[in-house]
Amino acid sequence: MEIELKLLIEPAHAQALLDHPLLKKHAVAAPTRHQMDTTYFDTPDLYFSRHRAALRVRHADNAWVQTLKDGNQVQGGLHSRNEWETEVDAGAPDLAALREAVGQDSAWFERLADTRLQEAIAPVFSNRIDRTAWLLDFGEGRQAELVLDQGELRRGEQREAISEIELEVKSGDAAPLFDFALALLDDIPLRLGNASKSARGYAMMHPAPPPLVKAAPVELADAMTVEQALQAIAGNCIAQMQGNEAGVMRGGDPEHVHQMRVGLRRLRSLLKMFEELAPLPAGLDQELRWLGGELGAARDWEVLAGDTLSDLMHEQNDALLPPLQQAAQAQADGNRARAAQAVGSARHARLLLNLIAWLHGARWQHEASPEQRKTLSAPVGRFARRVLKQGERRMKRRARNLVHADAPARHRLRIAAKRMRYATEFLSSLYPQRQVRPFVRALTALQDSLGGLNDAAVAQGLLRDLAQRQPSQALAAGFACGLLQAREPDALRRLCKRWKSLRQVPQPG
């Protein structure tokens, strides 16, 4: 099993890495340098790619080596995958030899037995890389390999630059990788890399906008401890955040901002669930708030321009509204560009590295009491039941006198409902789905009503702000606020109805 941390570095900063004192401190010997030519192979219907694998032959140091990598997973920033290698006589794969290497315990043992596969494979893309590699020693039996790869991916006339750092565990745990990367980040701008070279190569074959990554189901096992559940769910949330980074930085589809913000909100809701057992360091909490602010500013203006004002224009054919929408959209575009800068910044990279290091190393254990450690090491089931019961009580408390609740009170209920929904979804695999689905549907409907009311309240605040900065839009902004206020009584009736419906649905657990 290969476990590594991938970092992206601008070519202009490569020399700063070569000269960095951390290498002199931890390197066991002088670096080795290789020029490597690698060709990736697949069938016309992309058999290996469809099975989440990559097959390559690499030429370096007058030798040919074939490699099969299988099941690349990115969990909390760490890439892990199975890897098998054998030498070959020339620049083409030998699947029979590779089959012996994978062994009978792997599904590839049977797959590679198909002789038609050998006949069908052909080159699909390649790369040429200059690699500089160091073996690092962190003491206590912990070693890692650091490689700097610089070169390019090639497919026909297509070219794409490669400039990245890989930190791979050779012995011990992965904790030193994060500390080393954070120390480098003090002096060199870096970003976490989410895509392998093979994934980037396949993307060259089928160019497409960055994928939109929504929340994936969380799979927990009854035998998991509370601590393992925290790490698994957090990894799921971070994967959603990282999966939308490329789309946010490209700045084309505002939905990437929304989904990255959802991932961040899910993560912060999770951390709130566990705050008594694993309190987040204050500095990390502050940085998560910073990121939430950058994404939220972009999203709020996008909702105003793209949803709220568009709906009003459908209802009211008034000449005041289109210029107002254009002004709001200009603000949304500017905020989206600012969010792109934030996500591509060294500050964001440091936030993620610190967060992943804290999670991966279970660093809350340093401050945990014996009672907290006991709870963290217990099976997750009892903790899950307590979380859901607490969430139910919190919602009931905040929904008292809902008919007469003002905007701040509804906002508090919205936060409680959001936390309850996320908690239920995080823990849903521990319960029968016939219990979970009706409850989540009813809770989602309640959240939609609360969210609509909140969007209207946020919109009115943004419209007042816009009117102050652009007095020419003051009349239109006031008109739009009046339309939104006129909607409120119907929205409140729907909210009360949905709260009543939710109360009639049994809660899981």
Side-chain angles (χ1 to χ4, degrees):
M1 177 70 74
E2 177 188 60
I3 299 175
E4 69 181 22
L5 183 66
K6 186 184 293 290
L7 304 163
L8 306 182
I9 181 171
E10 292 294 330
H13 298 133
Q15 190 60 47
L17 174 67
L18 296 171
D19 297 335
H20 204 280
L22 277 174
L23 294 180
K24 297 179 176 64
K25 177 179 179 181
H26 293 289
V28 172
T32 59
R33 291 180 170 84
H34 311 272
Q35 186 178 81
M36 303 185 301
D37 290 283
T38 305
T39 302
Y40 288 81
F41 292 79
D42 213 325
T43 63
D45 63 348
L46 302 182
Y47 180 88
F48 287 91
S49 176
R50 287 189 290 106
H51 285 85
R52 301 180 65 247
L55 175 65
R56 75 185 189 204
V57 175
R58 173 170 288 167
H59 185 245
D61 300 329
N62 298 316
W64 297 92
V65 176
Q66 65 174 346
T67 305
L68 176 65
K69 293 191 178 187
D70 168 9
N72 183 39
Q73 295 182 346
V74 183
Q75 182 74 5
L78 280 179
H79 296 247
S80 60
R81 70 205 114 200
N82 297 312
E83 181 181 50
W84 301 276
E85 289 188 340
T86 68
E87 290 190 6
V88 287
D89 295 331
D94 180 350
L95 299 190
L98 199 56
R99 183 170 182 258
E100 294 301 314
V102 303
Q104 298 184 20
D105 292 336
S106 169
W108 284 101
F109 188 77
E110 293 301 325
R111 293 170 185 163
L112 295 173
D114 186 349
T115 56
R116 294 171 297 180
L117 201 58
Q118 179 74 59
E119 298 168 358
I121 56 175
V124 287
F125 53 86
S126 64
N127 64 52
R128 171 166 286 185
I129 290 171
D130 291 316
R131 168 168 287 185
T132 307
W134 298 260
L135 180 63
L136 307 180
D137 193 302
F138 299 107
E140 299 178 350
R142 300 177 299 174
Q143 289 191 329
E145 182 183 45
L146 166 67
V147 302
L148 170 64
D149 282 346
Q150 293 187 286
E152 62 181 12
L153 281 164
R154 302 174 175 182
R155 175 172 166 79
E157 297 301 316
Q158 293 176 273
R159 299 289 187 270
E160 184 175 315
I162 294 173
S163 185
E164 61 187 33
I165 296 167
E166 293 178 357
L167 278 160
E168 182 183 347
V169 174
K170 291 300 181 183
S171 62
D173 59 58
L177 304 189
F178 298 107
D179 294 330
F180 187 86
L182 284 163
L184 286 180
L185 196 56
D186 286 337
D187 304 309
I188 305 171
L190 302 169
R191 288 191 296 111
L192 278 171
N194 299 320
S196 64
K197 295 181 183 69
S198 61
R200 292 174 62 185
Y202 280 110
M204 290 176 71
M205 298 176 65
H206 303 285
L212 192 67
V213 179
K214 297 186 177 183
V218 177
E219 295 296 333
L220 302 180
D222 291 334
M224 273 187 174
T225 65
V226 172
E227 184 169 84
Q228 288 169 337
L230 165 60
Q231 291 169 318
I233 302 168
N236 178 285
C237 298
I238 293 171
Q240 184 183 8
M241 292 168 60
Q242 288 188 286
N244 288 290
E245 283 179 358
V248 173
M249 287 189 288
R250 183 172 292 190
D253 185 352
E255 189 65 16
H256 286 107
V257 173
H258 175 53
Q259 290 301 327
M260 186 172 181
R261 188 188 186 200
V262 169
L264 176 59
R265 283 180 159 185
R266 294 173 68 233
L267 177 65
R268 292 188 65 189
S269 185
L270 172 73
L271 295 171
K272 189 73 174 175
M273 277 173 54
F274 283 84
E275 65 179 350
E276 294 182 3
L277 298 174
L280 191 68
L284 260 178
D285 183 63
Q286 181 178 351
E287 290 300 278
L288 288 176
R289 290 178 183 275
W290 160 75
L291 180 59
E294 296 292 337
L295 297 174
R299 179 61 182 168
D300 288 344
W301 281 94
E302 197 69 52
V303 170
L304 172 63
D307 296 336
T308 305
L309 291 177
S310 291
D311 289 347
L312 293 181
M313 287 165 62
H314 284 301
E315 293 177 8
Q316 297 284 333
N317 186 16
D318 193 290
L320 286 172
L321 294 177
L324 180 66
Q325 186 192 40
Q326 291 172 8
Q329 188 60 59
Q331 184 67 44
D333 293 343
N335 284 11
R336 200 185 325 143
R338 180 175 170 177
Q341 289 182 331
V343 171
S345 69
R347 181 176 182 178
H348 179 253
R350 179 175 296 282
L351 162 60
L352 278 184
L353 282 169
N354 271 309
L355 178 64
I356 295 165
W358 180 76
L359 284 164
H360 184 82
R363 296 189 176 184
W364 49 82
Q365 289 278 2
H366 301 322
E367 307 295 332
S369 67
E371 186 62 30
Q372 287 172 319
R373 291 194 182 96
K374 181 179 178 182
T375 302
L376 285 164
S377 61
V380 69
R382 183 177 178 182
F383 174 81
R385 288 190 294 274
R386 186 170 79 244
V387 164
L388 296 180
K389 288 296 182 186
Q390 288 173 344
E392 180 187 31
R393 289 195 294 270
R394 186 185 302 112
M395 280 202 307
K396 286 180 179 178
R397 187 168 61 249
R398 295 184 182 182
R400 289 173 185 163
N401 203 24
L402 183 57
V403 175
H404 303 292
D406 58 12
R410 293 196 301 268
H411 176 70
R412 289 191 292 273
L413 175 59
R414 185 178 71 88
I415 297 301
K418 178 182 68 176
R419 288 173 56 188
M420 184 63 179
R421 177 185 167 191
Y422 288 152
T424 304
E425 290 175 342
F426 292 153
L427 304 169
S428 67
S429 59
L430 300 174
Y431 302 102
Q433 291 307 295
R434 65 179 183 276
Q435 294 179 9
V436 172
R437 291 194 186 101
F439 184 74
V440 170
R441 279 197 298 269
L443 190 52
T444 301
L446 177 71
Q447 238 188 311
D448 288 345
S449 284
L450 289 163
L453 285 161
N454 183 70
D455 287 346
V458 170
Q460 292 176 63
L462 295 179
L463 288 168
R464 287 190 289 270
D465 177 66
L466 184 62
Q468 286 184 341
R469 288 186 286 108
Q470 299 185 34
S472 62
Q473 297 297 334
L475 180 60
F479 177 58
C481 285
L483 293 174
L484 291 171
Q485 289 165 8
R487 288 176 164 188
E488 189 169 300
D490 286 342
L492 286 172
R493 281 191 287 272
R494 284 194 299 272
L495 171 62
C496 293
K497 183 178 179 181
R498 287 177 173 178
W499 170 247
K500 184 177 180 180
S501 297
L502 175 64
R503 293 294 307 276
Q504 295 172 353
V505 179
Q507 177 184 308

